[in-house]
Amino acid sequence: MFDLNPWTLLTIVAMGVVTVITRGFFLISSKPWTLPHWAQRGLQYAPIAALSAVVIPEIVMTQGQLIHTWQDARLFAAAAGVAWFVWQRGVLGTIVAGMLVYLPLKIGLGW
Amino acid sequence: MFYLREHRQRAEFREGVRDQATVAMGIAAWGLMTGVAMVKSGLSALEALLMTLIVYAGSAQLAAVPMIAAGAPLWVILAAAFCVNLRFMVFSAHLRPYLMHLPRWQRLVSGYVTGDLSYVFFARRFPKPGQTPQELARQQAYLMGNCAVNYVAWMLSSVVGVLLANAIPTAWGLGFAGILALLGVLSSLASSPLRIVSAGVAGAAAVAAWALPLKLNILVAIASAVAICLIIESRASGGDAPGGRHV
């Protein structure tokens, strides 16, 4: 439980450095510099694209394959979550509604 | 920084706390499952705790742990972590004008604590960087309120996950609550037709490019979605679109 492999520790510290560098990449330099105009316009589409790129595969793929069945708890849970959001506009409710659909299908029916 | 009183005293700090609190449950469920997964994939509890405290990037951690367990070379693990984190470089470019009034170390700490959802909430709340020092300070306070909730929810739940790794059945799929939190925030961002196009293109591209190594499919998806939206935007307005209108 309290094993600490020195090589693993080095890896963890180096990964922490990677986090700092990537999250702060364009914050490092203090020289005046602004993004080109097209990039500034493009950035308004980046947040939703990033979320969608992370979320969609988690809903429609299993082990690297697009799922071939509609009997998957994630599909119904995601639909319930989005439906809740359209109706009530709350993120917390989206999570709760989605999980209320997800858990019975997943644990009860094994989908 | 959320440990600075000058930020905590502002109303915007509390606003950031309130906004991020709506997704705290999803983040906590995700952190819990990440803690469990790190231990089940072969890290000792101590190593998993250190990784949570130092790395603070869930998707990179989940990508790296099986590679560590399999004895992959350090540079391969770091390359994977870097690629999984590449989206944060896009975020940091966006955050730069909001944070440049701070000294460098504060900028880097701010960047380090700003995860996906904190960035998204911030970009939604403040479409434009402040024009005065007062405005910039208020925006920074909001960001730090946001990050504080994210940090505490993630760290506490990850530690619980590590400690209870063998008592929590992964079959329940509690990690899906984290996906639902992201899905809720995604829905809240879908405020213009082109943004919905962006989500559709990115989702399809991420699935189509799944086979790419090191989670590069996420970067391909962001790049293609942004490119397609910029093309549609310039066609629609004769190549003369005002910047940031739909933000």
PDB file of all heavy atoms in Angstrom, chain B residues 8 33 41 44 47 58 60 64 67 74 85 90 93 111 118 120-121 124-125 132 154 161 163 172 176 181 196 220 240:
ATOM      1  N   ARG B   8     -10.818  36.098  -2.519  1.00  0.00           N
ATOM      2  CA  ARG B   8     -11.950  35.481  -1.831  1.00  0.00           C
ATOM      3  C   ARG B   8     -12.977  36.504  -1.383  1.00  0.00           C
ATOM      4  O   ARG B   8     -14.149  36.176  -1.203  1.00  0.00           O
ATOM      5  CB  ARG B   8     -11.459  34.675  -0.621  1.00  0.00           C
ATOM      6  CG  ARG B   8     -10.752  33.384  -1.002  1.00  0.00           C
ATOM      7  CD  ARG B   8     -10.795  32.392   0.137  1.00  0.00           C
ATOM      8  NE  ARG B   8     -10.306  32.947   1.381  1.00  0.00           N
ATOM      9  CZ  ARG B   8      -9.024  32.904   1.761  1.00  0.00           C
ATOM     10  NH1 ARG B   8      -8.132  32.330   0.986  1.00  0.00           N
ATOM     11  NH2 ARG B   8      -8.649  33.416   2.898  1.00  0.00           N
ATOM     12  N   MET B  33     -13.870   7.711  -9.264  1.00  0.00           N
ATOM     13  CA  MET B  33     -13.562   6.588 -10.142  1.00  0.00           C
ATOM     14  C   MET B  33     -12.113   6.647 -10.628  1.00  0.00           C
ATOM     15  O   MET B  33     -11.491   5.609 -10.854  1.00  0.00           O
ATOM     16  CB  MET B  33     -14.520   6.566 -11.344  1.00  0.00           C
ATOM     17  CG  MET B  33     -15.954   6.259 -10.981  1.00  0.00           C
ATOM     18  SD  MET B  33     -16.164   5.027  -9.661  1.00  0.00           S
ATOM     19  CE  MET B  33     -15.603   3.523 -10.459  1.00  0.00           C
ATOM     20  N   SER B  41      -5.354  -0.323 -11.397  1.00  0.00           N
ATOM     21  CA  SER B  41      -4.438  -0.542 -12.519  1.00  0.00           C
ATOM     22  C   SER B  41      -3.017  -0.812 -12.068  1.00  0.00           C
ATOM     23  O   SER B  41      -2.127  -0.975 -12.902  1.00  0.00           O
ATOM     24  CB  SER B  41      -4.424   0.655 -13.462  1.00  0.00           C
ATOM     25  OG  SER B  41      -5.712   1.028 -13.816  1.00  0.00           O
ATOM     26  N   SER B  44       0.481   1.765  -6.135  1.00  0.00           N
ATOM     27  CA  SER B  44       0.225   1.637  -4.702  1.00  0.00           C
ATOM     28  C   SER B  44      -0.606   2.840  -4.261  1.00  0.00           C
ATOM     29  O   SER B  44      -0.702   3.835  -4.982  1.00  0.00           O
ATOM     30  CB  SER B  44       1.541   1.603  -3.931  1.00  0.00           C
ATOM     31  OG  SER B  44       2.110   2.893  -3.881  1.00  0.00           O
ATOM     32  N   GLU B  47       1.475   5.960  -4.200  1.00  0.00           N
ATOM     33  CA  GLU B  47       1.766   6.480  -5.546  1.00  0.00           C
ATOM     34  C   GLU B  47       0.524   7.149  -6.149  1.00  0.00           C
ATOM     35  O   GLU B  47       0.616   8.209  -6.778  1.00  0.00           O
ATOM     36  CB  GLU B  47       2.233   5.337  -6.452  1.00  0.00           C
ATOM     37  CG  GLU B  47       3.634   4.836  -6.118  1.00  0.00           C
ATOM     38  CD  GLU B  47       3.957   3.497  -6.764  1.00  0.00           C
ATOM     39  OE1 GLU B  47       3.031   2.798  -7.235  1.00  0.00           O
ATOM     40  OE2 GLU B  47       5.146   3.134  -6.766  1.00  0.00           O
ATOM     41  N   GLY B  58      -7.027  14.497 -14.720  1.00  0.00           N
ATOM     42  CA  GLY B  58      -7.621  13.170 -14.673  1.00  0.00           C
ATOM     43  C   GLY B  58      -7.396  12.339 -15.921  1.00  0.00           C
ATOM     44  O   GLY B  58      -6.998  11.172 -15.839  1.00  0.00           O
ATOM     45  N   ALA B  60      -5.129  12.578 -18.260  1.00  0.00           N
ATOM     46  CA  ALA B  60      -3.716  12.195 -18.436  1.00  0.00           C
ATOM     47  C   ALA B  60      -3.341  11.092 -17.444  1.00  0.00           C
ATOM     48  O   ALA B  60      -2.601  10.159 -17.784  1.00  0.00           O
ATOM     49  CB  ALA B  60      -2.813  13.411 -18.249  1.00  0.00           C
ATOM     50  N   ALA B  64      -1.967   7.393 -18.320  1.00  0.00           N
ATOM     51  CA  ALA B  64      -0.591   7.042 -17.964  1.00  0.00           C
ATOM     52  C   ALA B  64      -0.490   5.804 -17.076  1.00  0.00           C
ATOM     53  O   ALA B  64       0.474   5.044 -17.192  1.00  0.00           O
ATOM     54  CB  ALA B  64       0.075   8.229 -17.270  1.00  0.00           C
ATOM     55  N   MET B  67       0.227   2.476 -18.568  1.00  0.00           N
ATOM     56  CA  MET B  67       1.551   2.475 -19.188  1.00  0.00           C
ATOM     57  C   MET B  67       2.633   2.337 -18.129  1.00  0.00           C
ATOM     58  O   MET B  67       3.627   1.645 -18.333  1.00  0.00           O
ATOM     59  CB  MET B  67       1.759   3.769 -19.993  1.00  0.00           C
ATOM     60  CG  MET B  67       0.723   3.955 -21.079  1.00  0.00           C
ATOM     61  SD  MET B  67       0.816   5.590 -21.849  1.00  0.00           S
ATOM     62  CE  MET B  67       2.028   5.285 -23.083  1.00  0.00           C
ATOM     63  N   LEU B  74       9.774   6.186 -20.043  1.00  0.00           N
ATOM     64  CA  LEU B  74       9.302   7.468 -19.508  1.00  0.00           C
ATOM     65  C   LEU B  74       8.864   8.415 -20.610  1.00  0.00           C
ATOM     66  O   LEU B  74       7.823   9.059 -20.510  1.00  0.00           O
ATOM     67  CB  LEU B  74      10.413   8.098 -18.661  1.00  0.00           C
ATOM     68  CG  LEU B  74      10.094   9.455 -18.027  1.00  0.00           C
ATOM     69  CD1 LEU B  74       8.906   9.359 -17.084  1.00  0.00           C
ATOM     70  CD2 LEU B  74      11.305   9.994 -17.271  1.00  0.00           C
ATOM     71  N   ASN B  85      -3.134  16.310 -22.908  1.00  0.00           N
ATOM     72  CA  ASN B  85      -3.289  17.659 -22.351  1.00  0.00           C
ATOM     73  C   ASN B  85      -3.245  18.765 -23.399  1.00  0.00           C
ATOM     74  O   ASN B  85      -3.352  19.936 -23.049  1.00  0.00           O
ATOM     75  CB  ASN B  85      -2.182  17.938 -21.329  1.00  0.00           C
ATOM     76  CG  ASN B  85      -2.473  17.295 -19.991  1.00  0.00           C
ATOM     77  OD1 ASN B  85      -3.581  16.843 -19.755  1.00  0.00           O
ATOM     78  ND2 ASN B  85      -1.491  17.263 -19.129  1.00  0.00           N
ATOM     79  N   VAL B  90      -4.633  25.103 -25.998  1.00  0.00           N
ATOM     80  CA  VAL B  90      -5.629  25.954 -26.655  1.00  0.00           C
ATOM     81  C   VAL B  90      -6.285  26.868 -25.613  1.00  0.00           C
ATOM     82  O   VAL B  90      -6.442  28.076 -25.823  1.00  0.00           O
ATOM     83  CB  VAL B  90      -6.701  25.087 -27.359  1.00  0.00           C
ATOM     84  CG1 VAL B  90      -7.755  25.962 -28.012  1.00  0.00           C
ATOM     85  CG2 VAL B  90      -6.057  24.167 -28.387  1.00  0.00           C
ATOM     86  N   ALA B  93      -4.026  29.760 -24.556  1.00  0.00           N
ATOM     87  CA  ALA B  93      -3.978  30.856 -25.533  1.00  0.00           C
ATOM     88  C   ALA B  93      -5.170  31.784 -25.339  1.00  0.00           C
ATOM     89  O   ALA B  93      -5.064  33.011 -25.422  1.00  0.00           O
ATOM     90  CB  ALA B  93      -3.976  30.287 -26.949  1.00  0.00           C
ATOM     91  N   GLY B 111      -3.062  28.871 -14.440  1.00  0.00           N
ATOM     92  CA  GLY B 111      -3.213  27.911 -15.528  1.00  0.00           C
ATOM     93  C   GLY B 111      -3.254  26.487 -15.000  1.00  0.00           C
ATOM     94  O   GLY B 111      -4.099  25.690 -15.396  1.00  0.00           O
ATOM     95  N   SER B 118     -13.600  24.553 -15.430  1.00  0.00           N
ATOM     96  CA  SER B 118     -13.334  25.910 -14.956  1.00  0.00           C
ATOM     97  C   SER B 118     -13.098  26.838 -16.137  1.00  0.00           C
ATOM     98  O   SER B 118     -13.610  27.959 -16.186  1.00  0.00           O
ATOM     99  CB  SER B 118     -12.115  25.938 -14.036  1.00  0.00           C
ATOM    100  OG  SER B 118     -12.327  25.092 -12.935  1.00  0.00           O
ATOM    101  N   VAL B 120     -14.206  26.417 -19.196  1.00  0.00           N
ATOM    102  CA  VAL B 120     -15.435  26.586 -19.967  1.00  0.00           C
ATOM    103  C   VAL B 120     -16.383  27.564 -19.272  1.00  0.00           C
ATOM    104  O   VAL B 120     -16.953  28.457 -19.904  1.00  0.00           O
ATOM    105  CB  VAL B 120     -16.114  25.222 -20.184  1.00  0.00           C
ATOM    106  CG1 VAL B 120     -17.534  25.403 -20.677  1.00  0.00           C
ATOM    107  CG2 VAL B 120     -15.317  24.381 -21.169  1.00  0.00           C
ATOM    108  N   PHE B 121     -16.542  27.420 -17.957  1.00  0.00           N
ATOM    109  CA  PHE B 121     -17.395  28.361 -17.221  1.00  0.00           C
ATOM    110  C   PHE B 121     -16.870  29.782 -17.348  1.00  0.00           C
ATOM    111  O   PHE B 121     -17.628  30.728 -17.546  1.00  0.00           O
ATOM    112  CB  PHE B 121     -17.449  27.989 -15.733  1.00  0.00           C
ATOM    113  CG  PHE B 121     -18.468  26.930 -15.410  1.00  0.00           C
ATOM    114  CD1 PHE B 121     -18.079  25.709 -14.911  1.00  0.00           C
ATOM    115  CD2 PHE B 121     -19.810  27.166 -15.595  1.00  0.00           C
ATOM    116  CE1 PHE B 121     -19.007  24.728 -14.608  1.00  0.00           C
ATOM    117  CE2 PHE B 121     -20.750  26.203 -15.300  1.00  0.00           C
ATOM    118  CZ  PHE B 121     -20.342  24.972 -14.804  1.00  0.00           C
ATOM    119  N   ARG B 124     -17.444  31.264 -20.740  1.00  0.00           N
ATOM    120  CA  ARG B 124     -18.863  31.556 -20.946  1.00  0.00           C
ATOM    121  C   ARG B 124     -19.258  32.821 -20.197  1.00  0.00           C
ATOM    122  O   ARG B 124     -19.994  33.666 -20.695  1.00  0.00           O
ATOM    123  CB  ARG B 124     -19.694  30.361 -20.456  1.00  0.00           C
ATOM    124  CG  ARG B 124     -21.168  30.463 -20.784  1.00  0.00           C
ATOM    125  CD  ARG B 124     -21.917  29.271 -20.232  1.00  0.00           C
ATOM    126  NE  ARG B 124     -21.849  29.221 -18.775  1.00  0.00           N
ATOM    127  CZ  ARG B 124     -22.454  28.296 -18.029  1.00  0.00           C
ATOM    128  NH1 ARG B 124     -23.130  27.340 -18.602  1.00  0.00           N
ATOM    129  NH2 ARG B 124     -22.354  28.326 -16.728  1.00  0.00           N
ATOM    130  N   ARG B 125     -18.743  32.982 -18.972  1.00  0.00           N
ATOM    131  CA  ARG B 125     -19.133  34.111 -18.128  1.00  0.00           C
ATOM    132  C   ARG B 125     -18.502  35.418 -18.617  1.00  0.00           C
ATOM    133  O   ARG B 125     -19.122  36.470 -18.547  1.00  0.00           O
ATOM    134  CB  ARG B 125     -18.710  33.818 -16.679  1.00  0.00           C
ATOM    135  CG  ARG B 125     -18.903  34.951 -15.690  1.00  0.00           C
ATOM    136  CD  ARG B 125     -20.366  35.204 -15.413  1.00  0.00           C
ATOM    137  NE  ARG B 125     -20.539  36.281 -14.442  1.00  0.00           N
ATOM    138  CZ  ARG B 125     -20.455  37.573 -14.748  1.00  0.00           C
ATOM    139  NH1 ARG B 125     -20.190  37.933 -15.983  1.00  0.00           N
ATOM    140  NH2 ARG B 125     -20.639  38.491 -13.821  1.00  0.00           N
ATOM    141  N   THR B 132     -10.177  47.283 -17.652  1.00  0.00           N
ATOM    142  CA  THR B 132      -9.559  48.029 -16.556  1.00  0.00           C
ATOM    143  C   THR B 132      -9.001  47.030 -15.538  1.00  0.00           C
ATOM    144  O   THR B 132      -9.437  45.872 -15.506  1.00  0.00           O
ATOM    145  CB  THR B 132     -10.612  48.901 -15.841  1.00  0.00           C
ATOM    146  OG1 THR B 132     -11.566  48.018 -15.229  1.00  0.00           O
ATOM    147  CG2 THR B 132     -11.343  49.802 -16.808  1.00  0.00           C
ATOM    148  N   TRP B 154     -12.429  17.549  -6.615  1.00  0.00           N
ATOM    149  CA  TRP B 154     -11.605  16.535  -7.279  1.00  0.00           C
ATOM    150  C   TRP B 154     -10.665  15.850  -6.304  1.00  0.00           C
ATOM    151  O   TRP B 154     -10.566  14.620  -6.268  1.00  0.00           O
ATOM    152  CB  TRP B 154     -10.820  17.178  -8.426  1.00  0.00           C
ATOM    153  CG  TRP B 154      -9.889  16.219  -9.087  1.00  0.00           C
ATOM    154  CD1 TRP B 154      -8.570  16.050  -8.824  1.00  0.00           C
ATOM    155  CD2 TRP B 154     -10.221  15.257 -10.093  1.00  0.00           C
ATOM    156  NE1 TRP B 154      -8.052  15.058  -9.609  1.00  0.00           N
ATOM    157  CE2 TRP B 154      -9.039  14.550 -10.398  1.00  0.00           C
ATOM    158  CE3 TRP B 154     -11.404  14.926 -10.763  1.00  0.00           C
ATOM    159  CZ2 TRP B 154      -9.005  13.534 -11.340  1.00  0.00           C
ATOM    160  CZ3 TRP B 154     -11.361  13.916 -11.700  1.00  0.00           C
ATOM    161  CH2 TRP B 154     -10.187  13.228 -11.979  1.00  0.00           C
ATOM    162  N   GLY B 161     -11.474   7.753  -3.308  1.00  0.00           N
ATOM    163  CA  GLY B 161     -11.424   6.657  -4.276  1.00  0.00           C
ATOM    164  C   GLY B 161     -10.199   5.786  -4.082  1.00  0.00           C
ATOM    165  O   GLY B 161     -10.278   4.554  -4.134  1.00  0.00           O
ATOM    166  N   LEU B 163      -8.461   5.392  -1.310  1.00  0.00           N
ATOM    167  CA  LEU B 163      -8.521   4.672  -0.035  1.00  0.00           C
ATOM    168  C   LEU B 163      -9.559   3.548  -0.064  1.00  0.00           C
ATOM    169  O   LEU B 163      -9.376   2.512   0.567  1.00  0.00           O
ATOM    170  CB  LEU B 163      -8.836   5.641   1.106  1.00  0.00           C
ATOM    171  CG  LEU B 163      -7.763   6.722   1.335  1.00  0.00           C
ATOM    172  CD1 LEU B 163      -8.144   7.630   2.476  1.00  0.00           C
ATOM    173  CD2 LEU B 163      -6.392   6.087   1.583  1.00  0.00           C
ATOM    174  N   TRP B 172     -20.524  -0.396 -11.386  1.00  0.00           N
ATOM    175  CA  TRP B 172     -21.626   0.569 -11.310  1.00  0.00           C
ATOM    176  C   TRP B 172     -21.448   1.704 -12.324  1.00  0.00           C
ATOM    177  O   TRP B 172     -22.395   2.415 -12.636  1.00  0.00           O
ATOM    178  CB  TRP B 172     -21.701   1.182  -9.903  1.00  0.00           C
ATOM    179  CG  TRP B 172     -22.215   0.229  -8.889  1.00  0.00           C
ATOM    180  CD1 TRP B 172     -22.545  -1.084  -9.087  1.00  0.00           C
ATOM    181  CD2 TRP B 172     -22.466   0.507  -7.512  1.00  0.00           C
ATOM    182  NE1 TRP B 172     -22.974  -1.650  -7.904  1.00  0.00           N
ATOM    183  CE2 TRP B 172     -22.939  -0.688  -6.925  1.00  0.00           C
ATOM    184  CE3 TRP B 172     -22.331   1.644  -6.717  1.00  0.00           C
ATOM    185  CZ2 TRP B 172     -23.277  -0.773  -5.582  1.00  0.00           C
ATOM    186  CZ3 TRP B 172     -22.657   1.567  -5.386  1.00  0.00           C
ATOM    187  CH2 TRP B 172     -23.135   0.358  -4.824  1.00  0.00           C
ATOM    188  N   PHE B 176     -19.545   7.650 -15.099  1.00  0.00           N
ATOM    189  CA  PHE B 176     -20.425   8.232 -16.109  1.00  0.00           C
ATOM    190  C   PHE B 176     -21.056   9.534 -15.622  1.00  0.00           C
ATOM    191  O   PHE B 176     -21.454  10.382 -16.433  1.00  0.00           O
ATOM    192  CB  PHE B 176     -21.499   7.221 -16.523  1.00  0.00           C
ATOM    193  CG  PHE B 176     -22.213   7.602 -17.786  1.00  0.00           C
ATOM    194  CD1 PHE B 176     -21.553   7.570 -18.998  1.00  0.00           C
ATOM    195  CD2 PHE B 176     -23.528   8.023 -17.750  1.00  0.00           C
ATOM    196  CE1 PHE B 176     -22.196   7.950 -20.164  1.00  0.00           C
ATOM    197  CE2 PHE B 176     -24.182   8.398 -18.910  1.00  0.00           C
ATOM    198  CZ  PHE B 176     -23.514   8.363 -20.124  1.00  0.00           C
ATOM    199  N   ALA B 181     -21.858  15.421 -16.375  1.00  0.00           N
ATOM    200  CA  ALA B 181     -21.550  16.809 -16.007  1.00  0.00           C
ATOM    201  C   ALA B 181     -21.010  17.560 -17.217  1.00  0.00           C
ATOM    202  O   ALA B 181     -21.427  18.695 -17.503  1.00  0.00           O
ATOM    203  CB  ALA B 181     -20.539  16.844 -14.859  1.00  0.00           C
ATOM    204  N   ILE B 196     -23.380  24.699 -32.246  1.00  0.00           N
ATOM    205  CA  ILE B 196     -23.942  23.350 -32.324  1.00  0.00           C
ATOM    206  C   ILE B 196     -23.246  22.583 -33.443  1.00  0.00           C
ATOM    207  O   ILE B 196     -22.917  21.399 -33.295  1.00  0.00           O
ATOM    208  CB  ILE B 196     -25.471  23.417 -32.528  1.00  0.00           C
ATOM    209  CG1 ILE B 196     -26.100  24.063 -31.284  1.00  0.00           C
ATOM    210  CG2 ILE B 196     -26.050  22.040 -32.783  1.00  0.00           C
ATOM    211  CD1 ILE B 196     -27.569  24.381 -31.413  1.00  0.00           C
ATOM    212  N   VAL B 220      -7.531  16.568 -33.163  1.00  0.00           N
ATOM    213  CA  VAL B 220      -8.045  16.555 -34.534  1.00  0.00           C
ATOM    214  C   VAL B 220      -9.486  17.073 -34.541  1.00  0.00           C
ATOM    215  O   VAL B 220      -9.882  17.867 -35.398  1.00  0.00           O
ATOM    216  CB  VAL B 220      -7.978  15.124 -35.119  1.00  0.00           C
ATOM    217  CG1 VAL B 220      -8.761  15.028 -36.420  1.00  0.00           C
ATOM    218  CG2 VAL B 220      -6.525  14.720 -35.340  1.00  0.00           C
ATOM    219  N   ASP B 240     -16.091  38.881 -43.687  1.00  0.00           N
ATOM    220  CA  ASP B 240     -15.870  40.082 -42.876  1.00  0.00           C
ATOM    221  C   ASP B 240     -16.603  39.974 -41.547  1.00  0.00           C
ATOM    222  O   ASP B 240     -17.348  40.861 -41.160  1.00  0.00           O
ATOM    223  CB  ASP B 240     -16.349  41.310 -43.659  1.00  0.00           C
ATOM    224  CG  ASP B 240     -15.915  42.590 -42.976  1.00  0.00           C
ATOM    225  OD1 ASP B 240     -14.846  42.577 -42.344  1.00  0.00           O
ATOM    226  OD2 ASP B 240     -16.652  43.586 -43.068  1.00  0.00           O
TER     227      ASP B 240
END
